[in-house]
Amino acid sequence: MNKNSTLYIDAIRHLKKVIIQNFGKQISTATDCALLSDRIAKETGFSISAQTIRRFFGLIKSDSQTSDYVVNKLAKFCGYRDFSGFLDSFSNTDLKEFFREDDTSKDYWRKSEELCLNISDNPELLANVHQYLLSYPMARKFFLEHHPMRDLLGTVYDQYFLHYLKYNNGNEGKIFAYGFLFLSAFLQQNHELMKMYFQQIKNTEIQENIHVIPAGLKFGVELLYADCIGDEKGFKKTFLEMKKWRIHYISASEKSVCSFEYSVLELLIFTNRIKEIEFLIKNQTFQQYQDQFYVPEDRKITHDEVWKILCAVAYEKMGKYRISSDYLQSVNLENIGVGWKNYTK
């Protein structure tokens, strides 16, 4: 996680509160830090110096950020396996409060999906939900990342992505949010916004730890924009770079309901780049197994149906009308999930 992100800063602030609760009093003096250091050593068997604790709580100035080692050990002192485990708990607390959970169910995926369905049926809820989500950044992160609603692009829903960026401004978060904002601008043919969001994507470096879907989204945006402005040199350069990264993401695509090629094609399909579109279809990496078990099977069903639609459009562009017709006839619109229904028509 980006240590300069608002989300990370908020998580550290919350960790300090939990440490104080465990310690039993405010940590405001050098003596407090020394006592906490001794207690950590006694209860956990590992050492964090009083000086380090003073820096962590801001009792002495420091230009350097707290190391991963320190935050992991402090989280462990609070009963978590590491800082990542603490973040999961922090996220669940936000989700529980947002959804006003009053039972033992923690199926936040379904709860988020139900919220999307309610918004689809009653668009007036959109602004109210947006205002409510402002107080729950982790819930907003979960809501947007797992259920981005393409049907609502070009509405006040776009504001969700802008607020998402305040708490998730690492490279992956930027590509995800600016990618959907670019798609919204493209669908509205707002060339000024397209250029602005493309530039944000272009300036965001792709890294090996970025998830397969935003990775493909980055290349899809850059390819679509290059096609829109007639930048042939830029298009060819980006496509060659995309092919290199595609190899890197084969393993991740085999675990995902949505492959790298799929993510690129979702934007490239708006062009007439037949050769490149055909490459993506012929080299599609299909899911072999799932390592994200919280993702329900019907999400894969939706993506499978959308893939058929993408292929039908692609083969129509290629002039292969029989193949296109076969794909269209195999589509079951009842399998299209929430957030996709109008977008795929």
Side-chain angles (χ1 to χ4, degrees):
M1 178 182 292
N2 183 350
K3 291 185 178 182
N4 292 318
S5 70
T6 308
L7 177 59
Y8 181 85
I9 293 169
D10 277 1
I12 291 294
R13 186 181 298 118
H14 186 64
L15 178 59
K16 290 176 182 177
K17 290 180 181 179
V18 176
I19 292 169
I20 290 169
Q21 288 172 0
N22 281 14
F23 186 55
K25 59 172 293 189
Q26 288 294 325
I27 300 169
S28 56
T29 68
T31 301
D32 294 332
C33 295
L35 290 172
L36 177 58
S37 176
D38 291 340
R39 181 168 165 183
I40 290 172
K42 181 179 179 180
E43 294 184 9
T44 66
F46 51 79
S47 175
I48 298 178
S49 71
Q51 189 81 343
T52 297
I53 294 173
R54 288 175 69 192
R55 283 196 295 269
F56 180 74
F57 280 93
L59 302 185
I60 55 176
K61 291 185 178 180
S62 175
D63 294 328
S64 61
Q65 293 177 320
T66 306
S67 70
D68 291 340
Y69 173 86
V70 170
V71 294
N72 281 330
K73 296 306 181 186
L74 288 173
K76 200 163 186 176
F77 167 69
C78 294
Y80 302 93
R81 69 177 187 276
D82 53 22
F83 187 64
S84 178
F86 172 78
L87 279 175
D88 289 342
S89 176
F90 181 42
S91 174
N92 286 339
T93 298
D94 227 23
L95 287 165
K96 182 176 181 179
E97 291 181 3
F98 172 75
F99 286 112
R100 296 173 179 175
E101 186 179 292
D102 55 3
D103 54 35
T104 58
S105 170
K106 289 183 172 57
D107 191 350
Y108 297 120
W109 181 286
R110 290 298 181 193
K111 291 177 183 292
S112 181
E113 187 173 61
E114 289 170 7
L115 179 59
C116 289
L117 284 168
N118 290 335
I119 290 173
S120 295
D121 293 339
N122 186 5
E124 288 77 15
L125 285 174
L126 190 61
N128 291 336
V129 171
H130 174 57
Q131 287 300 118
Y132 186 47
L133 274 169
L134 291 179
S135 300
Y136 301 96
M138 291 300 292
R140 182 171 61 248
K141 181 177 187 292
F142 186 94
F143 178 67
L144 278 177
E145 289 182 355
H146 297 308
H147 294 89
M149 299 178 70
R150 291 159 178 80
D151 288 351
L152 295 178
L153 291 175
T155 70
V156 68
Y157 182 69
D158 290 356
Q159 295 296 316
Y160 282 52
F161 292 101
L162 294 173
H163 283 281
Y164 168 94
L165 282 164
K166 293 181 180 180
Y167 287 84
N168 304 275
N169 55 7
N171 284 17
E172 184 173 282
K174 287 179 181 178
I175 293 170
F176 169 75
Y178 286 126
F180 274 94
L181 288 168
F182 174 89
L183 181 57
S184 174
F186 171 79
L187 294 173
Q188 298 174 81
Q189 285 299 285
N190 187 324
H191 296 282
E192 185 176 346
L193 285 179
M194 282 172 60
K195 181 179 180 180
M196 182 176 74
Y197 295 135
F198 157 77
Q199 202 60 54
Q200 292 286 353
I201 294 283
K202 181 73 174 177
N203 293 339
T204 304
E205 181 182 357
I206 190 168
Q207 300 164 329
E208 290 194 1
N209 62 341
I210 287 178
H211 190 271
V212 58
I213 296 176
L217 180 61
K218 172 179 169 65
F219 286 107
V221 166
E222 293 187 23
L223 289 168
L224 178 54
Y225 187 74
D227 182 82
C228 287
I229 65 173
D231 181 6
E232 196 64 30
K233 183 178 179 181
F235 184 92
K236 290 180 178 178
K237 180 180 178 182
T238 301
F239 195 80
L240 286 174
E241 184 70 12
M242 181 277 297
K243 289 172 75 174
K244 294 177 183 177
W245 277 97
R246 176 192 161 269
I247 301 299
H248 170 77
Y249 277 104
I250 288 177
S251 177
S253 293
E254 289 176 343
K255 305 172 189 175
S256 175
V257 296
C258 185
S259 71
F260 179 83
E261 299 86 12
Y262 178 118
S263 192
V264 177
L265 182 60
E266 191 184 336
L267 283 94
L268 196 61
I269 199 67
F270 291 108
T271 75
N272 290 314
R273 302 281 181 163
I274 294 174
K275 179 181 176 181
E276 291 80 6
I277 288 173
E278 189 172 23
F279 172 87
L280 292 170
I281 291 176
K282 288 185 174 180
N283 291 279
Q284 155 79 328
T285 305
F286 292 98
Q287 185 182 28
Q288 302 297 319
Y289 55 94
Q290 182 175 326
D291 66 348
Q292 295 177 325
F293 297 103
Y294 60 85
V295 180
E297 180 62 25
D298 52 8
R299 171 53 62 88
K300 185 177 188 305
I301 292 172
T302 285
H303 282 301
D304 286 348
E305 294 302 319
V306 174
W307 178 254
K308 294 175 187 177
I309 295 171
L310 291 172
C311 288
V313 174
Y315 283 111
E316 193 278 334
K317 289 175 182 283
M318 298 175 200
K320 299 179 180 180
Y321 302 116
R322 178 172 292 182
I323 298 176
S324 176
S325 177
D326 288 344
Y327 270 108
L328 277 180
Q329 290 179 23
S330 70
V331 173
N332 182 354
L333 293 178
E334 294 299 318
N335 288 335
I336 303 295
V338 61
W340 286 87
K341 293 184 182 297
N342 294 327
Y343 179 76
T344 51
K345 288 180 180 178

